Amino acid sequence: MKQGIIATDVGNILLIAFVLSLVLSTLLILHNRAITFALLSAFGYKPKIMPAEEDMDEDAQMSDHVIICGFGETGKNFNRMLRGTGVQVMAIDVDPQQVEDALRNGCSAMYGDSTSLKTLKSAGLDKARALILTFDDYAQSMKIVHKVRSELPELPIIVRVHHIHNVEDLMMMGATMVFADGLVGANAATRQDIMQAMKIPEERQHAGERVS
């Protein structure tokens, strides 16, 4: 190096390390899902999770189901609401533990990024009855609504938000229904509206568990 600040040999090593770090970072970003499953398997954790990039056989693809993006407390509440209605649920989450919870609760489940149309289509978006977004991240929800609405103008999209002032923006973006935290369980009429938005026949709506 100039002025002898860093020896040439040391500089070459640092340059090589920098280039390798860029290459490895790119590989980690592109293949993070596969790496996650490999590491989980290496530590003896082998969830029966459908990776988002895995192609499903045509006969095995779901249809007329509800896709729940995010299987935290709100996602679990929606699953309980739908239980007994005969509607299948596909849960998508980036947390392997939440995916395991979804499987234990009788859902089909995928590990993946719901902001990706590829992931949503792997979950049967084109044949789904409705899409439910339960994220804490308002910007993320806006991004998904925009992508999905441009592809499927008629699909019911139900979105949960933390703040009531976000409702109007999401509705303008194309959401079918937006509700703020607490309204699903606290208001029976809202629950009925959600069931109707998902196009569940009235005679089957009361079979679903009331969300608490």
Side-chain angles (χ1 to χ4, degrees), residues 49-122:
I49 300 171
M50 182 191 303
E53 71 273 10
E54 179 177 309
D55 290 330
M56 294 181 288
D57 294 334
E58 190 67 29
D59 293 339
Q61 287 187 353
M62 301 174 70
S63 62
D64 205 31
H65 57 296
V66 172
I67 299 174
I68 298 178
C69 298
F71 204 74
E73 287 306 311
T74 303
K76 291 178 177 66
N77 282 342
F78 272 108
N79 184 50
R80 285 195 290 270
M81 178 189 291
L82 290 166
R83 192 176 295 155
T85 64
V87 175
Q88 290 181 294
V89 171
M90 168 64 81
I92 307 174
D93 207 295
V94 293
D95 183 345
Q97 187 57 56
Q98 297 288 25
V99 177
E100 279 289 290
D101 287 346
L103 291 169
R104 282 194 293 269
N105 279 276
C107 305
S108 296
M110 294 177 65
Y111 173 88
D113 177 10
S114 299
T115 63
S116 165
L117 270 179
K118 181 179 178 181
T119 299
L120 292 172
K121 288 184 176 181
S122 293

Side-chain angles (χ1 to χ4, degrees), residues 134-142 160 162:
T134 70
F135 303 119
D136 293 330
D137 190 333
Y138 159 73
Q140 195 175 35
S141 294
M142 287 283 284
R160 165 252 193 158
H162 277 308

Side-chain angles (χ1 to χ4, degrees), residues 2-182:
K2 290 182 178 181
Q3 300 177 349
I5 296 175
I6 299 177
T8 302
D9 291 345
V10 175
N12 288 338
I13 292 172
L14 291 174
L15 179 61
I16 292 170
F18 175 71
V19 173
L20 285 175
S21 68
L22 288 178
V23 173
L24 289 174
S25 297
T26 302
L27 289 173
L28 285 171
I29 292 170
L30 292 174
H31 303 289
N32 66 85
R33 190 175 296 114
I35 292 170
T36 297
F37 278 90
L39 289 173
L40 289 173
S41 297
F43 285 97
Y45 183 79
K46 298 181 179 180
K48 297 178 180 178
I49 300 171
M50 182 191 303
E53 71 273 10
E54 179 177 309
D55 290 330
M56 294 181 288
D57 294 334
E58 190 67 29
D59 293 339
Q61 287 187 353
M62 301 174 70
S63 62
D64 205 31
H65 57 296
V66 172
I67 299 174
I68 298 178
C69 298
F71 204 74
E73 287 306 311
T74 303
K76 291 178 177 66
N77 282 342
F78 272 108
N79 184 50
R80 285 195 290 270
M81 178 189 291
L82 290 166
R83 192 176 295 155
T85 64
V87 175
Q88 290 181 294
V89 171
M90 168 64 81
I92 307 174
D93 207 295
V94 293
D95 183 345
Q97 187 57 56
Q98 297 288 25
V99 177
E100 279 289 290
D101 287 346
L103 291 169
R104 282 194 293 269
N105 279 276
C107 305
S108 296
M110 294 177 65
Y111 173 88
D113 177 10
S114 299
T115 63
S116 165
L117 270 179
K118 181 179 178 181
T119 299
L120 292 172
K121 288 184 176 181
S122 293
L125 181 68
D126 295 337
K127 297 182 179 181
R129 172 188 293 270
L131 176 68
I132 299 174
L133 310 180
T134 70
F135 303 119
D136 293 330
D137 190 333
Y138 159 73
Q140 195 175 35
S141 294
M142 287 283 284
K143 181 179 179 180
I144 299 174
V145 171
H146 175 69
K147 286 183 178 180
V148 173
R149 186 54 74 221
S150 63
E151 292 264 334
L152 298 166
E154 301 300 324
L155 179 72
I157 303 176
I158 300 166
V159 187
R160 165 252 193 158
V161 294
H162 277 308
H163 305 293
I164 197 72
H165 62 262
N166 294 142
V167 172
E168 186 176 352
D169 289 342
L170 282 159
M171 294 295 290
M172 290 180 65
M173 185 63 71
T176 306
M177 183 176 186
V178 182
F179 66 93
D181 282 334

